[in-house]
């Protein structure tokens, strides 16, 4: 059975230097609800070359693509697995691929692993892979037993000691010959892929750990973003090389947040939306917890008889519904509104958001574009007439701020001022579907603080006008495009 019409070919099995596929342990249940899954596992004694592994994955990709040519194939690879994914993409540019590269091994030649690889080649046989011997070797005790390495021994010992936290587990599953083989494969894979990055056309998401003990993953992610044509990057500052095994990291949430989940050749933000998990909802609530604690917001609603009551009893329970409101300072009300309604009623509000939150160019312009990942996870879609039409036709609860970003970023002296268009075309669209229109307002948010700088002040800063123009050049005004319907 094909889940959501998408196949994932997960290379997590060969992703780490171990090659046994441990990376899927924490993620396979959620992934299996979205994809048909394949995992490439490399037995410890396997000596298949990098080229052979690429060809093996390539055959699976072509088979799945021919069965469903209108659907993407996802390749998830960690370390050397990321190299395999890139190699397959470079060799199959006509296949619709989505790559998810976790701490990719393309940086091998700039990593401490290269030093360790050279060191392992010098280790004499017999070599016992039991934990004490390997740990002694990695911590430098082996150097004390082998003075013939001279002054280089101390330097190599320091390198090995730095790698110890991530390599301890290798001693239990890999003999020396396997480690040496996999190091050589990683060296070959890195060289092969780096010479072919120009040929990769696939949509790519790079997941980079800021505390990677084996590879310079953060720098490598930025290099790949500048090299690959369709590449997004998500940094995880406190995670290590084995991020897939670490608590707090969720691969599905990361893919959804980056906007890289789709069921067909083109992303459909309305139909590709996946309901929130309990953890995702809790993270959304936590993000606004301080604001909620400081402001202690109260929600009021109006019953059919006109009576105003505390709570959301007056909110319809079936769509389509269009909520139309005033965007207060910086849109701080947005998070507590959406999560509050969801927790209280189970109703998921889908917001129409500024297009720059979704286009690839914003990743280059904004220091940390992951700040908008939560909006995508919560179901926001780019504000277009087509998306508005689809949401209403699906009988969704739709959230619209006619004043848009201009209203949220209002200037000094513009508190509680509306910036709505004179012609409210969205009313015509809502009436076409018989949607209930609910106007709402917020009181108090514009009074939280005094504004020190506004748009007029920012435009006086060097280069800010260029950035502002770039951010808005792909923006569409709903008031102009709704007239098409």
């Amino acid at each position: 059975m094909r889940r959501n019409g998408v196949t994932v070919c997960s290379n997590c099995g060969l992703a780490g230097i171990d090659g046994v596929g441990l990376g899927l342990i924490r993620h396979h249940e959620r992934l299996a609800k979205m994809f048909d899954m394949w995992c490439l596992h490399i037995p410890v004694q396997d000596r298949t070359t990098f080229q052979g592994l690429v060809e093996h994955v390539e055959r699976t990709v072509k088979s799945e693509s021919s069965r469903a040519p209108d659907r993407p194939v996802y390749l998830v690879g960690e370390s050397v697995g990321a190299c395999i994914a890139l190699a397959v993409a470079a060799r199959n540019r006509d296949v619709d691929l989505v790559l998810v590269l976790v701490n990719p091994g393309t940086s091998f030649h700039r990593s401490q692993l290269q030093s360790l690889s050279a060191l392992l080649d010098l280790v004499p046989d017999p070599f016992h892979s039991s934990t004490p011997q390997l740990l002694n070797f990695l911590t430098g005790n082996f150097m004390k037993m082998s003075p013939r390495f001279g002054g280089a021994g101390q330097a190599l010992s320091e390198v090995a000691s730095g790698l110890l936290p991530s390599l301890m587990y290798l001693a239990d599953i890999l003999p020396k010959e396997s480690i040496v083989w996999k190091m050589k494969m990683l060296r070959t894979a890195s060289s092969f892929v780096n010479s072919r990055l120009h040929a990769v056309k696939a949509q790519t998401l790079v997941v980079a750990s800021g505390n990677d003990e084996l590879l310079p993953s953060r720098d490598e992610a930025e290099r790949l973003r500048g090299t690959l044509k369709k590449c997004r990057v998500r940094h995880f500052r406190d995670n290590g090389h084995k991020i897939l095994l670490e608590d707090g990291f969720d691969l599905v949430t990361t893919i959804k947040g980056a906007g890289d989940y789709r069921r067909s050749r083109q992303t459909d933000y309305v139909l590709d939306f996946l309901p929130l998990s309990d953890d995702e909802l809790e993270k959304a609530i936590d993000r606004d917890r301080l604001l909620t604690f400081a402001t202690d917001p109260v929600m009021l609603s109006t019953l059919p008889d006109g009576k105003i009551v505390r709570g959301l009893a007056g909110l319809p329970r079936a769509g389509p519904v269009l909520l139309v409101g005033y965007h207060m300072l910086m849109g701080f009300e947005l998070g507590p509104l959406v999560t509050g309604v969801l927790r209280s009623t189970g109703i998921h509000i889908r917001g129409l958001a500024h297009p720059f939150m979704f286009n690839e160019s914003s990743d280059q312009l904004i220091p940390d574009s992951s700040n908008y990942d939560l909006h995508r996870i919560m179901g926001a879609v780019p504000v277009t007439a087509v998306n508005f039409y689809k949401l209403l036709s699906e009988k969704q609860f739709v959230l619209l701020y006619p004043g848009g970003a201009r209203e949220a970023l209002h200037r000094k002296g513009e508190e509680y001022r509306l910036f709505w268009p004179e012609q409210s075309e969205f009313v015509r669209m809502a009436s076409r579907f018989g949607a209930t229109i609910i106007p709402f307002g917020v009181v108090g948010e514009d009074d939280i603080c005094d504004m020190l700088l506004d748009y007029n002040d920012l435009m006086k800063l060097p280069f800010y006008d260029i950035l502002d123009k770039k951010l808005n050049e792909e923006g569409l005004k709903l008031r102009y495009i709704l007239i098409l319907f």
Side-chain angles (χ1 to χ4, degrees):
M1 180 177 179
R2 200 177 276 279
R3 296 173 179 82
N4 294 336
V6 182
T7 299
V8 60
C9 181
S10 173
N11 287 338
C12 290
L14 61 85
I17 196 65
D18 55 277
V20 298
L22 294 176
L24 279 180
I25 289 177
R26 293 186 59 254
H27 308 278
H28 75 277
E29 289 187 3
R30 289 198 68 197
L31 287 170
K33 295 178 181 179
M34 301 162 56
F35 306 110
D36 288 333
M37 292 182 60
W38 299 72
C39 180
L40 180 58
H41 167 75
I42 309 175
V44 171
Q45 299 298 335
D46 189 279
R47 295 296 181 263
T48 304
T49 64
F50 175 72
Q51 182 77 12
L53 292 173
V54 170
E55 292 173 355
H56 179 73
V57 175
E58 190 174 56
R59 286 192 293 272
T60 304
V61 166
K62 289 182 176 180
S63 173
E64 293 301 305
S65 179
S66 64
R67 284 173 41 178
D70 59 331
R71 295 165 179 166
V73 177
Y74 280 68
L75 289 173
V76 182
E78 177 190 21
S79 190
V80 70
C83 294
I84 294 176
L86 286 166
V88 172
R91 290 160 54 106
N92 297 272
R93 287 175 286 181
D94 58 330
V95 178
D96 184 14
L97 294 173
V98 180
L99 310 183
V100 181
L101 313 178
V102 182
N103 296 327
T106 47
S107 62
F108 175 79
H109 295 287
R110 294 181 287 108
S111 72
Q112 296 186 73
L113 278 178
Q114 178 161 271
S115 301
L116 181 60
S117 176
L119 181 61
L120 286 174
D121 286 334
L122 299 175
V123 176
D125 290 321
F127 179 89
H128 301 288
S129 61
S130 59
T131 301
Q133 283 82 356
L134 181 57
L135 294 184
N136 285 340
F137 165 69
L138 292 176
T139 56
N141 289 339
F142 182 81
M143 296 302 174
K144 296 179 181 179
M145 296 162 50
S146 305
R148 65 186 180 87
F149 288 114
Q154 180 63 31
L156 291 175
S157 175
E158 292 176 358
V159 170
S161 297
L163 298 174
L164 179 60
S166 289
L167 294 179
M168 289 178 63
Y169 71 96
L170 292 180
D172 296 324
I173 58 176
L174 295 177
K176 176 217 168 181
E177 293 77 9
S178 295
I179 297 177
V180 172
W181 171 261
K182 292 177 184 297
M183 288 290 188
K184 290 180 178 178
M185 183 200 297
L186 184 54
R187 183 189 299 116
T188 300
S190 178
S191 298
F192 181 91
V193 170
N194 279 312
S195 66
R196 292 164 175 80
L197 287 178
H198 64 279
V200 177
K201 311 299 181 185
Q203 177 183 342
T204 304
L205 170 64
V206 180
V207 177
S209 296
N211 194 28
D212 192 334
E213 310 89 345
L214 302 185
L215 300 169
S217 294
R218 184 174 184 84
D219 292 340
E220 181 65 5
E222 295 303 321
R223 184 181 78 91
L224 291 175
R225 173 156 55 181
T227 303
L228 302 177
K229 293 186 176 181
K230 301 177 182 178
C231 182
R232 292 181 185 269
V233 171
R234 289 298 177 266
H235 290 289
F236 294 86
R237 183 182 60 185
D238 299 324
N239 293 90
H241 184 72
K242 305 300 293 183
I243 184 174
L244 292 174
L245 294 174
E246 297 179 14
D247 290 336
F249 174 78
D250 191 294
L251 183 59
V252 169
T253 298
T254 302
I255 293 173
K256 289 166 57 178
D260 282 332
Y261 178 71
R262 54 186 173 90
R263 293 180 171 92
S264 59
R265 287 194 171 273
Q266 298 295 326
T267 301
D268 188 325
Y269 288 102
V270 175
L271 301 180
D272 289 339
F273 172 70
L274 296 171
L276 273 71
S277 67
D278 292 339
D279 287 341
E280 288 169 347
L281 177 57
E282 285 304 314
K283 288 181 180 179
I285 295 172
D286 284 341
R287 180 168 177 170
D288 297 311
R289 196 174 299 278
L290 179 60
L291 177 65
T292 302
F293 175 78
T295 59
D296 192 19
V298 175
M299 291 189 181
L300 306 175
S301 60
T302 305
L303 300 178
D305 61 4
K307 181 180 179 181
I308 298 177
V309 296
R310 181 164 181 158
L312 299 172
L315 192 67
R317 291 303 188 263
V321 171
L322 176 62
L323 294 95
V324 184
Y326 162 62
H327 231 334
M328 301 202 73
L329 181 63
M330 301 296 292
F332 285 136
E333 79 286 343
L334 184 57
L337 171 64
V338 175
T339 58
V341 171
L342 182 57
R343 291 190 78 181
S344 301
T345 66
I347 295 172
H348 199 121
I349 297 175
R350 304 290 301 277
L352 295 167
H354 196 294
F356 85 87
M357 295 183 184
F358 302 87
N359 62 48
E360 294 180 5
S361 62
S362 64
D363 271 24
Q364 304 289 339
L365 296 171
I366 301 174
D368 188 3
S369 59
S370 64
N371 288 326
Y372 299 112
D373 285 7
L374 186 58
H375 294 76
R376 288 183 282 264
I377 293 171
M378 294 297 294
V381 303
V383 55
T384 68
V386 172
N387 286 336
F388 191 32
Y389 183 95
K390 286 181 179 179
L391 288 171
L392 291 176
S393 66
E394 292 288 320
K395 298 183 179 181
Q396 300 280 335
F397 280 67
V398 185
L399 175 61
L400 172 66
Y401 290 99
R406 174 65 181 89
E407 198 168 74
L409 301 176
H410 56 253
R411 301 163 194 176
K412 297 173 183 177
E414 295 179 345
E415 294 80 3
Y416 297 105
R417 177 182 168 186
L418 295 180
F419 290 86
W420 290 18
E422 294 182 5
Q423 300 292 327
S424 300
E425 291 87 0
F426 63 84
V427 176
R428 259 187 289 173
M429 180 79 82
S431 64
R432 176 170 181 169
F433 290 94
T436 301
I437 300 177
I438 301 178
F440 70 92
V442 183
V443 177
E445 189 171 325
D446 279 354
D447 304 311
I448 291 177
C449 59
D450 293 325
M451 190 178 301
L452 298 179
L453 292 174
D454 63 12
Y455 178 80
N456 294 329
D457 299 317
L458 292 174
M459 289 298 289
K460 297 176 184 178
L461 299 177
F463 306 111
Y464 183 84
D465 58 334
I466 300 175
L467 175 62
D468 177 76
K469 182 179 179 180
K470 193 69 176 177
L471 287 174
N472 290 283
E473 64 182 1
E474 297 183 24
L476 299 174
K477 293 185 178 180
L478 192 65
R479 66 192 69 173
Y480 297 145
I481 58 180
L482 288 185
I483 199 169
L484 297 175
F485 293 86

PDB file of all heavy atoms in Angstrom, residues 156-181:
ATOM      1  N   LEU A 156      48.296  12.924  16.604  1.00  0.00           N
ATOM      2  CA  LEU A 156      47.242  12.006  16.200  1.00  0.00           C
ATOM      3  C   LEU A 156      46.434  11.550  17.397  1.00  0.00           C
ATOM      4  O   LEU A 156      45.223  11.328  17.311  1.00  0.00           O
ATOM      5  CB  LEU A 156      47.859  10.802  15.480  1.00  0.00           C
ATOM      6  CG  LEU A 156      48.468  11.097  14.106  1.00  0.00           C
ATOM      7  CD1 LEU A 156      49.154   9.853  13.571  1.00  0.00           C
ATOM      8  CD2 LEU A 156      47.398  11.577  13.132  1.00  0.00           C
ATOM      9  N   SER A 157      47.100  11.414  18.538  1.00  0.00           N
ATOM     10  CA  SER A 157      46.393  11.018  19.749  1.00  0.00           C
ATOM     11  C   SER A 157      45.360  12.061  20.145  1.00  0.00           C
ATOM     12  O   SER A 157      44.251  11.742  20.556  1.00  0.00           O
ATOM     13  CB  SER A 157      47.384  10.808  20.884  1.00  0.00           C
ATOM     14  OG  SER A 157      46.713  10.525  22.099  1.00  0.00           O
ATOM     15  N   GLU A 158      45.718  13.328  20.035  1.00  0.00           N
ATOM     16  CA  GLU A 158      44.791  14.397  20.378  1.00  0.00           C
ATOM     17  C   GLU A 158      43.591  14.394  19.444  1.00  0.00           C
ATOM     18  O   GLU A 158      42.455  14.614  19.859  1.00  0.00           O
ATOM     19  CB  GLU A 158      45.514  15.744  20.320  1.00  0.00           C
ATOM     20  CG  GLU A 158      46.564  15.912  21.419  1.00  0.00           C
ATOM     21  CD  GLU A 158      47.327  17.214  21.266  1.00  0.00           C
ATOM     22  OE1 GLU A 158      47.061  17.946  20.295  1.00  0.00           O
ATOM     23  OE2 GLU A 158      48.181  17.495  22.118  1.00  0.00           O
ATOM     24  N   VAL A 159      43.861  14.135  18.154  1.00  0.00           N
ATOM     25  CA  VAL A 159      42.756  14.062  17.194  1.00  0.00           C
ATOM     26  C   VAL A 159      41.812  12.926  17.559  1.00  0.00           C
ATOM     27  O   VAL A 159      40.595  13.072  17.606  1.00  0.00           O
ATOM     28  CB  VAL A 159      43.296  13.870  15.758  1.00  0.00           C
ATOM     29  CG1 VAL A 159      42.154  13.556  14.798  1.00  0.00           C
ATOM     30  CG2 VAL A 159      44.038  15.116  15.305  1.00  0.00           C
ATOM     31  N   ALA A 160      42.404  11.751  17.839  1.00  0.00           N
ATOM     32  CA  ALA A 160      41.589  10.585  18.167  1.00  0.00           C
ATOM     33  C   ALA A 160      40.786  10.803  19.432  1.00  0.00           C
ATOM     34  O   ALA A 160      39.630  10.392  19.536  1.00  0.00           O
ATOM     35  CB  ALA A 160      42.483   9.357  18.303  1.00  0.00           C
ATOM     36  N   SER A 161      41.389  11.452  20.434  1.00  0.00           N
ATOM     37  CA  SER A 161      40.689  11.708  21.695  1.00  0.00           C
ATOM     38  C   SER A 161      39.466  12.581  21.475  1.00  0.00           C
ATOM     39  O   SER A 161      38.428  12.392  22.109  1.00  0.00           O
ATOM     40  CB  SER A 161      41.633  12.385  22.697  1.00  0.00           C
ATOM     41  OG  SER A 161      42.709  11.523  23.014  1.00  0.00           O
ATOM     42  N   GLY A 162      39.580  13.530  20.574  1.00  0.00           N
ATOM     43  CA  GLY A 162      38.447  14.395  20.277  1.00  0.00           C
ATOM     44  C   GLY A 162      37.303  13.649  19.615  1.00  0.00           C
ATOM     45  O   GLY A 162      36.145  14.048  19.718  1.00  0.00           O
ATOM     46  N   LEU A 163      37.625  12.551  18.935  1.00  0.00           N
ATOM     47  CA  LEU A 163      36.599  11.774  18.257  1.00  0.00           C
ATOM     48  C   LEU A 163      35.969  10.721  19.155  1.00  0.00           C
ATOM     49  O   LEU A 163      34.986  10.099  18.787  1.00  0.00           O
ATOM     50  CB  LEU A 163      37.220  11.065  17.041  1.00  0.00           C
ATOM     51  CG  LEU A 163      37.799  11.970  15.962  1.00  0.00           C
ATOM     52  CD1 LEU A 163      38.492  11.121  14.911  1.00  0.00           C
ATOM     53  CD2 LEU A 163      36.721  12.820  15.327  1.00  0.00           C
ATOM     54  N   LEU A 164      36.528  10.527  20.329  1.00  0.00           N
ATOM     55  CA  LEU A 164      36.126   9.431  21.187  1.00  0.00           C
ATOM     56  C   LEU A 164      34.626   9.364  21.460  1.00  0.00           C
ATOM     57  O   LEU A 164      34.028   8.292  21.356  1.00  0.00           O
ATOM     58  CB  LEU A 164      36.892   9.499  22.507  1.00  0.00           C
ATOM     59  CG  LEU A 164      36.560   8.410  23.545  1.00  0.00           C
ATOM     60  CD1 LEU A 164      36.852   7.040  22.962  1.00  0.00           C
ATOM     61  CD2 LEU A 164      37.356   8.644  24.818  1.00  0.00           C
ATOM     62  N   PRO A 165      33.952  10.453  21.819  1.00  0.00           N
ATOM     63  CA  PRO A 165      32.535  10.342  22.170  1.00  0.00           C
ATOM     64  C   PRO A 165      31.678   9.710  21.084  1.00  0.00           C
ATOM     65  O   PRO A 165      30.721   9.001  21.392  1.00  0.00           O
ATOM     66  CB  PRO A 165      32.125  11.802  22.430  1.00  0.00           C
ATOM     67  CG  PRO A 165      33.393  12.474  22.819  1.00  0.00           C
ATOM     68  CD  PRO A 165      34.458  11.822  21.995  1.00  0.00           C
ATOM     69  N   SER A 166      31.988   9.970  19.821  1.00  0.00           N
ATOM     70  CA  SER A 166      31.157   9.456  18.749  1.00  0.00           C
ATOM     71  C   SER A 166      31.599   8.091  18.244  1.00  0.00           C
ATOM     72  O   SER A 166      30.859   7.420  17.550  1.00  0.00           O
ATOM     73  CB  SER A 166      31.164  10.434  17.564  1.00  0.00           C
ATOM     74  OG  SER A 166      30.454  11.582  17.875  1.00  0.00           O
ATOM     75  N   LEU A 167      32.811   7.673  18.569  1.00  0.00           N
ATOM     76  CA  LEU A 167      33.337   6.435  18.009  1.00  0.00           C
ATOM     77  C   LEU A 167      33.327   5.264  18.980  1.00  0.00           C
ATOM     78  O   LEU A 167      33.686   4.149  18.609  1.00  0.00           O
ATOM     79  CB  LEU A 167      34.770   6.667  17.520  1.00  0.00           C
ATOM     80  CG  LEU A 167      34.908   7.634  16.355  1.00  0.00           C
ATOM     81  CD1 LEU A 167      36.364   7.794  15.974  1.00  0.00           C
ATOM     82  CD2 LEU A 167      34.108   7.181  15.160  1.00  0.00           C
ATOM     83  N   MET A 168      32.917   5.496  20.245  1.00  0.00           N
ATOM     84  CA  MET A 168      32.969   4.425  21.224  1.00  0.00           C
ATOM     85  C   MET A 168      32.158   3.216  20.792  1.00  0.00           C
ATOM     86  O   MET A 168      32.547   2.066  20.990  1.00  0.00           O
ATOM     87  CB  MET A 168      32.471   4.936  22.587  1.00  0.00           C
ATOM     88  CG  MET A 168      33.420   5.901  23.276  1.00  0.00           C
ATOM     89  SD  MET A 168      32.740   6.502  24.833  1.00  0.00           S
ATOM     90  CE  MET A 168      32.628   4.976  25.758  1.00  0.00           C
ATOM     91  N   TYR A 169      30.996   3.477  20.183  1.00  0.00           N
ATOM     92  CA  TYR A 169      30.126   2.371  19.837  1.00  0.00           C
ATOM     93  C   TYR A 169      30.690   1.498  18.716  1.00  0.00           C
ATOM     94  O   TYR A 169      30.285   0.352  18.529  1.00  0.00           O
ATOM     95  CB  TYR A 169      28.749   2.908  19.414  1.00  0.00           C
ATOM     96  CG  TYR A 169      28.758   3.599  18.081  1.00  0.00           C
ATOM     97  CD1 TYR A 169      28.393   2.917  16.926  1.00  0.00           C
ATOM     98  CD2 TYR A 169      29.132   4.932  17.980  1.00  0.00           C
ATOM     99  CE1 TYR A 169      28.401   3.547  15.705  1.00  0.00           C
ATOM    100  CE2 TYR A 169      29.146   5.562  16.769  1.00  0.00           C
ATOM    101  CZ  TYR A 169      28.771   4.871  15.625  1.00  0.00           C
ATOM    102  OH  TYR A 169      28.784   5.498  14.410  1.00  0.00           O
ATOM    103  N   LEU A 170      31.636   2.005  17.934  1.00  0.00           N
ATOM    104  CA  LEU A 170      32.177   1.250  16.818  1.00  0.00           C
ATOM    105  C   LEU A 170      32.902  -0.009  17.277  1.00  0.00           C
ATOM    106  O   LEU A 170      32.905  -1.026  16.582  1.00  0.00           O
ATOM    107  CB  LEU A 170      33.144   2.123  16.008  1.00  0.00           C
ATOM    108  CG  LEU A 170      32.542   3.294  15.234  1.00  0.00           C
ATOM    109  CD1 LEU A 170      33.639   4.036  14.506  1.00  0.00           C
ATOM    110  CD2 LEU A 170      31.484   2.816  14.266  1.00  0.00           C
ATOM    111  N   ALA A 171      33.518   0.051  18.436  1.00  0.00           N
ATOM    112  CA  ALA A 171      34.321  -1.071  18.900  1.00  0.00           C
ATOM    113  C   ALA A 171      33.492  -2.328  19.096  1.00  0.00           C
ATOM    114  O   ALA A 171      33.997  -3.440  18.955  1.00  0.00           O
ATOM    115  CB  ALA A 171      35.008  -0.703  20.214  1.00  0.00           C
ATOM    116  N   ASP A 172      32.222  -2.162  19.418  1.00  0.00           N
ATOM    117  CA  ASP A 172      31.382  -3.314  19.709  1.00  0.00           C
ATOM    118  C   ASP A 172      30.864  -4.010  18.455  1.00  0.00           C
ATOM    119  O   ASP A 172      30.411  -5.147  18.525  1.00  0.00           O
ATOM    120  CB  ASP A 172      30.184  -2.885  20.568  1.00  0.00           C
ATOM    121  CG  ASP A 172      30.628  -2.370  21.929  1.00  0.00           C
ATOM    122  OD1 ASP A 172      31.612  -2.922  22.463  1.00  0.00           O
ATOM    123  OD2 ASP A 172      30.004  -1.423  22.432  1.00  0.00           O
ATOM    124  N   ILE A 173      30.891  -3.328  17.311  1.00  0.00           N
ATOM    125  CA  ILE A 173      30.253  -3.910  16.129  1.00  0.00           C
ATOM    126  C   ILE A 173      31.169  -4.037  14.928  1.00  0.00           C
ATOM    127  O   ILE A 173      30.834  -4.759  13.994  1.00  0.00           O
ATOM    128  CB  ILE A 173      29.011  -3.077  15.723  1.00  0.00           C
ATOM    129  CG1 ILE A 173      29.403  -1.623  15.436  1.00  0.00           C
ATOM    130  CG2 ILE A 173      27.938  -3.131  16.779  1.00  0.00           C
ATOM    131  CD1 ILE A 173      28.244  -0.781  14.938  1.00  0.00           C
ATOM    132  N   LEU A 174      32.298  -3.337  14.926  1.00  0.00           N
ATOM    133  CA  LEU A 174      33.143  -3.347  13.738  1.00  0.00           C
ATOM    134  C   LEU A 174      34.560  -3.808  14.049  1.00  0.00           C
ATOM    135  O   LEU A 174      35.203  -3.275  14.943  1.00  0.00           O
ATOM    136  CB  LEU A 174      33.211  -1.939  13.124  1.00  0.00           C
ATOM    137  CG  LEU A 174      31.918  -1.352  12.562  1.00  0.00           C
ATOM    138  CD1 LEU A 174      32.185   0.058  12.074  1.00  0.00           C
ATOM    139  CD2 LEU A 174      31.363  -2.207  11.448  1.00  0.00           C
ATOM    140  N   PRO A 175      35.064  -4.776  13.291  1.00  0.00           N
ATOM    141  CA  PRO A 175      36.490  -5.090  13.381  1.00  0.00           C
ATOM    142  C   PRO A 175      37.297  -4.020  12.676  1.00  0.00           C
ATOM    143  O   PRO A 175      36.758  -3.212  11.926  1.00  0.00           O
ATOM    144  CB  PRO A 175      36.599  -6.432  12.670  1.00  0.00           C
ATOM    145  CG  PRO A 175      35.461  -6.414  11.693  1.00  0.00           C
ATOM    146  CD  PRO A 175      34.344  -5.653  12.369  1.00  0.00           C
ATOM    147  N   LYS A 176      38.609  -4.043  12.909  1.00  0.00           N
ATOM    148  CA  LYS A 176      39.467  -3.020  12.317  1.00  0.00           C
ATOM    149  C   LYS A 176      39.340  -2.995  10.800  1.00  0.00           C
ATOM    150  O   LYS A 176      39.277  -1.927  10.183  1.00  0.00           O
ATOM    151  CB  LYS A 176      40.917  -3.252  12.710  1.00  0.00           C
ATOM    152  CG  LYS A 176      41.879  -2.269  12.033  1.00  0.00           C
ATOM    153  CD  LYS A 176      43.168  -2.937  11.663  1.00  0.00           C
ATOM    154  CE  LYS A 176      43.973  -2.030  10.739  1.00  0.00           C
ATOM    155  NZ  LYS A 176      45.231  -2.652  10.327  1.00  0.00           N
ATOM    156  N   GLU A 177      39.265  -4.175  10.170  1.00  0.00           N
ATOM    157  CA  GLU A 177      39.209  -4.225   8.719  1.00  0.00           C
ATOM    158  C   GLU A 177      37.973  -3.509   8.179  1.00  0.00           C
ATOM    159  O   GLU A 177      38.027  -2.836   7.152  1.00  0.00           O
ATOM    160  CB  GLU A 177      39.219  -5.685   8.247  1.00  0.00           C
ATOM    161  CG  GLU A 177      40.512  -6.430   8.505  1.00  0.00           C
ATOM    162  CD  GLU A 177      40.655  -6.861   9.951  1.00  0.00           C
ATOM    163  OE1 GLU A 177      39.671  -6.730  10.717  1.00  0.00           O
ATOM    164  OE2 GLU A 177      41.754  -7.305  10.339  1.00  0.00           O
ATOM    165  N   SER A 178      36.853  -3.630   8.904  1.00  0.00           N
ATOM    166  CA  SER A 178      35.623  -2.965   8.466  1.00  0.00           C
ATOM    167  C   SER A 178      35.730  -1.459   8.616  1.00  0.00           C
ATOM    168  O   SER A 178      35.261  -0.694   7.763  1.00  0.00           O
ATOM    169  CB  SER A 178      34.425  -3.496   9.257  1.00  0.00           C
ATOM    170  OG  SER A 178      34.192  -4.857   8.971  1.00  0.00           O
ATOM    171  N   ILE A 179      36.336  -1.023   9.725  1.00  0.00           N
ATOM    172  CA  ILE A 179      36.494   0.413   9.929  1.00  0.00           C
ATOM    173  C   ILE A 179      37.366   1.009   8.823  1.00  0.00           C
ATOM    174  O   ILE A 179      37.037   2.045   8.239  1.00  0.00           O
ATOM    175  CB  ILE A 179      37.109   0.711  11.309  1.00  0.00           C
ATOM    176  CG1 ILE A 179      36.177   0.232  12.424  1.00  0.00           C
ATOM    177  CG2 ILE A 179      37.391   2.198  11.467  1.00  0.00           C
ATOM    178  CD1 ILE A 179      36.737   0.422  13.818  1.00  0.00           C
ATOM    179  N   VAL A 180      38.490   0.347   8.537  1.00  0.00           N
ATOM    180  CA  VAL A 180      39.392   0.832   7.488  1.00  0.00           C
ATOM    181  C   VAL A 180      38.664   0.873   6.148  1.00  0.00           C
ATOM    182  O   VAL A 180      38.774   1.839   5.387  1.00  0.00           O
ATOM    183  CB  VAL A 180      40.646  -0.057   7.406  1.00  0.00           C
ATOM    184  CG1 VAL A 180      41.486   0.323   6.189  1.00  0.00           C
ATOM    185  CG2 VAL A 180      41.477   0.080   8.675  1.00  0.00           C
ATOM    186  N   TRP A 181      37.901  -0.177   5.851  1.00  0.00           N
ATOM    187  CA  TRP A 181      37.176  -0.239   4.579  1.00  0.00           C
ATOM    188  C   TRP A 181      36.174   0.908   4.469  1.00  0.00           C
ATOM    189  O   TRP A 181      36.074   1.571   3.441  1.00  0.00           O
ATOM    190  CB  TRP A 181      36.463  -1.582   4.459  1.00  0.00           C
ATOM    191  CG  TRP A 181      35.518  -1.659   3.282  1.00  0.00           C
ATOM    192  CD1 TRP A 181      34.166  -1.485   3.291  1.00  0.00           C
ATOM    193  CD2 TRP A 181      35.882  -1.897   1.911  1.00  0.00           C
ATOM    194  NE1 TRP A 181      33.658  -1.601   2.036  1.00  0.00           N
ATOM    195  CE2 TRP A 181      34.690  -1.856   1.157  1.00  0.00           C
ATOM    196  CE3 TRP A 181      37.097  -2.140   1.267  1.00  0.00           C
ATOM    197  CZ2 TRP A 181      34.676  -2.060  -0.208  1.00  0.00           C
ATOM    198  CZ3 TRP A 181      37.073  -2.343  -0.114  1.00  0.00           C
ATOM    199  CH2 TRP A 181      35.881  -2.305  -0.839  1.00  0.00           C
TER     200      TRP A 181
END
